[in-house]
Amino acid sequence: MSFCLFSECRSYRWILKRELLSGKKTILFIGLNPSKANSSHNDRTLMRIINFSSSWNYKNIYIINLFGLISKSPLQLSKSNDPIGENNDLITLKSLEFWRENNNCDLWLGWGDKGQLNGRDLKVLKLIKNFSNFKSNENNYSKRVLSLGLSKKGNPRHPLYMPNHSFLRRFDL
């Protein structure tokens, strides 16, 4: 299910949810941009996220994005005056609060190198680090930050370009 919280729903999207038939856990995925996937249509990236999540025993998938602007091309994000959207920070914060409060929820990062636009990746990583430090103090090891590995530039790899047998590993902040 995709939903918008504010009036800009035609141009921006904040959360996309998929529920799988089996599985036990929940995963929150932060990726590059929402493309054209929505509540009734899966694009190639969303299909990869669903297939990976299913093989790793996740039941619920929540997808949020570094950039709220809907675009098929990351190049279009760089041409926009506001690719993030005025409410994307709030949605990211609320999603991280959800992750913090739910012991059976993991966080998966996968935006690749294009997430560096306007320093967005660093801003979101700082938010995650603040939440992660809080979790470390609780000694709750189920609250992990994960990725499919790192690109040559050190960014969490995008799932679309990973082999089917890939697995999540710890992402060091």
Side-chain angles (χ1 to χ4, degrees):
M1 175 177 174
S2 170
F3 62 92
C4 294
L5 300 177
F6 305 97
S7 61
E8 308 95 336
C9 291
R10 292 178 194 196
S11 300
Y12 294 91
R13 178 174 37 251
W14 291 280
I15 298 175
L16 191 62
K17 180 185 178 189
R18 291 294 188 267
E19 185 173 333
L20 305 179
L21 294 176
S22 64
K24 296 181 180 178
K25 303 180 288 183
T26 297
I27 193 156
L28 171 62
F29 175 82
I30 304 177
L32 179 58
N33 77 1
S35 186
K36 295 293 182 179
N38 58 36
S39 61
S40 60
H41 172 73
N42 294 335
D43 64 7
R44 288 179 46 223
T45 299
L46 187 53
M47 284 305 304
R48 295 291 288 167
I49 293 168
I50 290 168
N51 290 337
F52 279 131
S53 297
S54 177
S55 71
W56 301 326
N57 201 32
Y58 288 100
K59 171 81 172 164
N60 296 299
I61 309 165
Y62 294 93
I63 300 104
I64 65 169
N65 297 281
L66 289 176
F67 304 97
L69 182 65
I70 297 172
S71 170
K72 282 187 173 183
S73 168
L75 179 62
Q76 293 301 320
L77 294 173
S78 65
K79 293 180 179 180
S80 172
N81 290 334
D82 184 19
I84 297 166
E86 68 179 89
N87 298 305
N88 206 33
D89 287 338
L90 175 64
I91 298 304
T92 301
L93 183 64
K94 292 292 185 185
S95 297
L96 291 173
E97 287 174 355
F98 171 83
W99 169 63
R100 178 182 66 203
E101 300 300 323
N102 290 279
N103 291 330
N104 207 24
C105 182
D106 291 326
L107 177 61
W108 172 15
L109 308 180
W111 53 74
D113 292 334
K114 292 183 175 81
Q116 295 176 314
L117 178 68
N118 299 336
R120 181 65 178 161
D121 60 334
L122 297 178
K123 184 173 184 178
V124 170
L125 285 172
K126 184 177 178 181
L127 274 175
I128 294 168
K129 188 172 187 173
N130 289 338
F131 279 93
S132 182
N133 286 340
F134 174 79
K135 292 177 185 305
S136 296
N137 293 336
E138 295 175 346
N139 291 322
N140 187 343
Y141 297 109
S142 69
K143 298 294 187 181
R144 298 170 302 182
V145 181
L146 307 165
S147 76
L148 290 172
L150 301 178
S151 70
K152 290 180 183 179
K153 293 183 179 180
N155 296 297
R157 290 184 166 215
H158 192 285
L160 189 59
Y161 311 109
M162 298 301 294
N164 291 336
H165 63 274
S166 299
F167 60 92
L168 290 172
R169 56 196 81 163
R170 185 174 166 211
F171 181 87
D172 292 321
L173 296 170

